[in-house]
Amino acid sequence: MKKLSFIFILSLGVFTFYSCDIDRSPFDSITADDLANSETSAQNVTLGTYSRMRAWTENWHRLFEYPGDNVSLSGTTSDPLFFSYNFNRIPNSSRTAGFWRSSYQIVVATNQVIGNVTEGSSASNDQILAENYYIRALMHFSLVNIFGRPYNQGANNPGVPLKLDAEPLNHPIRSSVGEVYNQVEADLLKAVALFSENKTNVYASKEAAQALLSRLYLYKEDNAKAAEYSDLVINSGRFSLLPTNRLGDYPKITPESNPETIFAVKFVKDVDYESNGWFTIGSLYANIQGAGWGEMYASRPYIELVREFPEDQRNKFIQPVVVNQNVTWGIYVRDNLTFGWTPLTPAGDGFEYQHAGMTKTVEKVFNERGGVSYHLDTDEGKKRILIDKQLDLRNNFPKYFILKCSGQDDQAHLWSPVVSRLAEMYLNKAEALAKLGQTTEALDLVNIVRTRAGIPSNGLYTMANLGGKSVLDVVIEERQLELSWEGHRKMDVFRNGKTLDRRYPGTHLAGNNPLPLIQANENRIIEFIPEAQLLVHEGLTQNPG
């Protein structure tokens, strides 16, 4: 047992140094000869797998979140994350290669356990097996959603290789999207049946598996099952929505102390990051306590959406970086999709400004639910504005720091990425019911999320105040508001056949081939298979350009 533990920990430690070898053969990093005879060895391997997931989350977040419309990069970069952000993907991206490599290394670690631990031999062994089935399912599901087209665009489309053994020289070719989904479903159902104890939410659980099944069925458009599995988690009694007055602190709370989190990948204060976390997910979103680049900001359309109700606690996940409290700006978007601003002067309960030699009043507009927006005249016509104190700029981009991936335990950029939480279950069920025609029930679920966010009763949805939106539109919009910067938005847009509208300021519009609109049927919505894998794995095929 000691020998096994040492070998496995050593393999984690040398991962970085031997990445070139792992590129060629990503399935050979785990050795577990003693697994069949020792529960302790299986536990050690499983704990090592959880540890490895910490590194996995970085590219997982970037590949799912950056190709969406919640973010706006304020400059260009040589980091290949830029090519995922602007949809000009490249086949030799170290980001996609790293995600592929780390995902399959984790898969093989789970396969070592699954292939060597006997089901039914003890409750402890069944628990270990269940955790590994869940993790294997999460890896394959994440891979197929990055490298394969949405399920409803064709289950027979190429997916990713299903790696179901721990043989280092066995390199399977791509299975179809449908085959991968079927395997993920089978693994999760097996996990649900095997779980024998309730651990904290930084370990896989029966409810974590049910939550991922809810998402899987939603993506498959098996809406009845999506609703059923959402209900199983909601009614389990193990989770509750964080109170309204604590929602803005969600990322700051240690996951085990957060009643809403179903499963998170745990990062530990003062252990996982030095110098407050410069090389973290949150460090690109904000500079906190002197740490972080703070170069990718909340997008203009997201800010407009969340500011419709000042009471919405999700506003607290965005920090405008003020440089002059004595100056107020009305910030608008020019016709060429760059930022402009007009100085504002307080006047009563509103603001005035100068235009064309005249003093004018900022126009306040209310929507059907009492949500507010502000407008003023410019040389290009009437524009919607954001009202802020004078903000710091980077490359003429006002800085709106994203705080949802930082601040855990008061450490600048510590964060334990959330894989599943209870609010998603309400919204999964809402989407499923909307598609099943149960529209009133769907709105009731959306309103649970909106009420928790602090939106007043007049801002809740009824069938009479949709303002021309469908109930499904309302659900998807609420998913954007609630699940922002958690890796859902890209999938929510494309799996629903919608166009990703990025007609807002950001360097995704830089260069000779800007892509302000991305259609759901375009090839570019999925990443290229890493080029290095094609060179060494016979029969592995590339995604179309």
Side-chain angles (χ1 to χ4, degrees):
M1 290 185 290
K2 292 180 180 178
K3 180 179 179 182
L4 172 65
S5 300
F6 175 76
I7 290 172
F8 185 73
I9 293 168
L10 180 63
S11 73
L12 288 173
V14 301
F15 162 75
T16 301
F17 302 103
Y18 293 104
S19 60
C20 293
D21 291 334
I22 293 170
D23 270 339
R24 176 176 177 82
S25 186
F27 310 134
D28 64 356
S29 59
I30 307 298
T31 301
D33 294 338
D34 298 333
L35 275 170
N37 301 313
S38 170
E39 288 185 10
T40 303
S41 294
Q43 290 168 352
N44 286 338
V45 171
T46 303
L47 289 173
T49 300
Y50 284 114
S51 179
R52 179 166 286 184
M53 288 178 70
R54 294 200 295 269
W56 171 82
T57 60
E58 181 182 0
N59 286 322
W60 168 72
H61 178 91
R62 298 188 198 281
L63 293 176
F64 277 104
E65 188 60 45
Y66 292 178
D69 56 0
N70 294 331
V71 293
S72 173
L73 191 59
S74 62
T76 58
T77 173
S78 59
D79 190 309
L81 65 85
F82 190 61
F83 299 104
S84 295
Y85 166 70
N86 66 12
F87 284 89
N88 285 306
R89 61 212 168 116
I90 55 175
N92 59 349
S93 166
S94 61
R95 292 293 179 183
T96 54
F99 179 69
W100 178 285
R101 179 175 61 244
S102 61
S103 298
Y104 278 115
Q105 286 177 329
I106 291 168
V107 165
V108 171
T110 65
N111 289 342
Q112 287 281 8
V113 175
I114 291 169
N116 288 284
V117 174
T118 302
E119 180 183 333
S121 56
S122 70
S124 296
N125 275 342
D126 282 355
Q127 175 72 22
I128 291 168
L129 283 170
E131 292 180 41
N132 281 275
Y133 276 117
Y134 169 83
I135 295 170
R136 185 170 79 175
L138 176 62
M139 294 301 115
H140 280 134
F141 190 53
S142 300
L143 283 160
V144 77
N145 288 324
I146 290 294
F147 297 106
R149 301 194 71 83
Y151 185 94
N152 61 7
Q153 293 188 14
N156 292 325
N157 282 322
V160 293
L162 278 171
K163 180 64 178 171
L164 303 178
D165 60 51
E167 294 299 322
L169 299 180
N170 178 21
H171 302 290
I173 61 173
R174 299 175 73 174
S175 296
S176 69
V177 169
E179 289 169 335
V180 177
Y181 268 63
N182 289 342
Q183 184 63 51
V184 171
E185 179 184 17
D187 281 355
L188 292 173
L189 291 172
K190 171 69 82 170
V192 168
L194 288 174
F195 277 112
S196 60
E197 61 179 289
N198 291 330
K199 296 183 179 180
T200 68
N201 56 13
V202 298
Y203 297 95
S205 65
K206 179 174 70 174
E207 290 78 16
Q210 291 169 335
L212 198 55
L213 279 164
S214 167
R215 192 185 303 173
L216 175 90
Y217 291 131
L218 192 70
Y219 286 16
K220 288 182 69 175
E221 297 193 337
D222 188 340
N223 294 306
K225 283 189 176 179
E228 174 189 350
Y229 276 86
S230 296
D231 264 341
L232 287 172
V233 181
I234 292 168
N235 297 328
S236 69
R238 290 196 64 192
F239 310 98
S240 59
L241 293 175
L242 204 63
T244 301
N245 63 358
R246 299 193 69 200
L247 178 58
D249 291 328
Y250 201 111
K252 300 178 182 180
I253 303 170
T254 305
E256 297 97 322
S257 301
N258 193 321
E260 184 170 336
T261 297
I262 300 167
F263 178 63
V265 179
K266 175 69 178 290
F267 283 73
V268 180
K269 182 178 182 180
D270 299 324
V271 172
D272 287 310
Y273 293 125
E274 297 178 357
S275 304
N276 275 334
W278 269 90
F279 297 93
T280 65
I281 291 169
S283 65
L284 191 59
Y285 289 146
N287 181 285
I288 301 173
Q289 300 171 20
W293 287 274
E295 296 178 358
M296 182 177 277
Y297 310 135
S299 70
R300 174 66 183 229
Y302 184 86
I303 300 172
E304 289 182 354
L305 189 61
V306 77
R307 284 197 180 181
E308 287 185 0
F309 291 92
E311 306 95 330
D312 193 332
Q313 295 299 294
R314 294 168 296 199
N315 279 293
K316 292 183 178 179
F317 297 131
I318 302 170
Q319 180 188 72
V321 182
V322 175
V323 294
N324 191 341
Q325 290 282 357
N326 297 318
V327 176
T328 302
W329 279 354
I331 304 171
Y332 59 91
V333 177
R334 298 188 180 101
D335 291 348
N336 65 357
L337 300 183
T338 63
F339 283 112
W341 44 85
T342 297
L344 305 180
T345 303
D349 60 353
F351 293 92
E352 293 178 338
Y353 64 100
Q354 299 295 314
H355 177 69
M358 300 175 61
T359 299
K360 297 187 175 184
T361 300
V362 171
E363 182 180 357
K364 183 184 293 187
V365 178
F366 293 94
N367 65 22
E368 295 83 358
R369 294 162 303 284
V372 66
S373 60
Y374 300 91
H375 306 259
L376 54 67
D377 292 326
T378 74
D379 291 341
E380 297 178 339
K382 192 173 295 293
K383 299 284 187 178
R384 182 170 178 172
I385 60 170
L386 301 177
I387 299 176
D388 284 290
K389 299 298 183 180
Q390 182 179 341
L391 299 185
D392 195 12
L393 302 175
R394 181 175 188 267
N395 298 328
N396 216 53
F397 289 88
K399 294 183 179 181
Y400 290 98
F401 285 169
I402 297 167
L403 304 181
K404 207 175 187 182
C405 304
S406 301
Q408 179 185 315
D409 299 325
D410 296 319
Q411 193 164 15
H413 290 302
L414 186 68
W415 178 54
S416 294
V418 175
V419 176
S420 297
R421 61 184 177 97
L422 188 61
E424 185 203 348
M425 297 301 99
Y426 284 108
L427 294 170
N428 284 1
K429 184 178 179 183
E431 182 178 336
L433 293 184
K435 291 176 176 177
L436 290 170
Q438 299 178 43
T439 51
T440 301
E441 294 88 342
L443 290 181
D444 289 343
L445 292 162
V446 168
N447 287 334
I448 289 173
V449 175
R450 289 176 71 79
T451 298
R452 190 279 294 270
I455 293 174
S457 58
N458 65 290
L460 304 183
Y461 283 102
T462 69
M463 293 301 295
N465 69 1
L466 299 181
K469 301 175 186 175
S470 70
V471 172
L472 180 59
D473 290 337
V474 165
V475 174
I476 294 173
E477 185 176 277
E478 198 63 32
R479 289 180 68 89
Q480 181 180 12
L481 275 169
E482 179 66 26
L483 304 177
S484 55
W485 310 301
E486 296 178 36
H488 294 270
R489 180 59 177 167
K490 171 190 171 184
M491 292 301 302
D492 286 351
V493 171
F494 293 137
R495 65 182 175 79
N496 279 294
K498 295 186 175 294
T499 298
L500 184 68
D501 188 346
R502 301 177 108 197
R503 290 175 294 181
Y504 59 84
T507 53
H508 55 280
L509 301 179
N512 296 322
N513 186 31
L515 299 165
L517 297 171
I518 310 293
Q519 307 295 328
N521 61 358
E522 292 188 52
N523 290 334
R524 67 181 71 250
I525 73 166
I526 57 175
E527 294 282 357
F528 283 125
I529 302 295
E531 192 172 57
Q533 302 297 327
L534 299 174
L535 296 175
V536 297
H537 294 174
E538 184 178 354
L540 197 61
T541 58
Q542 184 57 281
N543 284 326

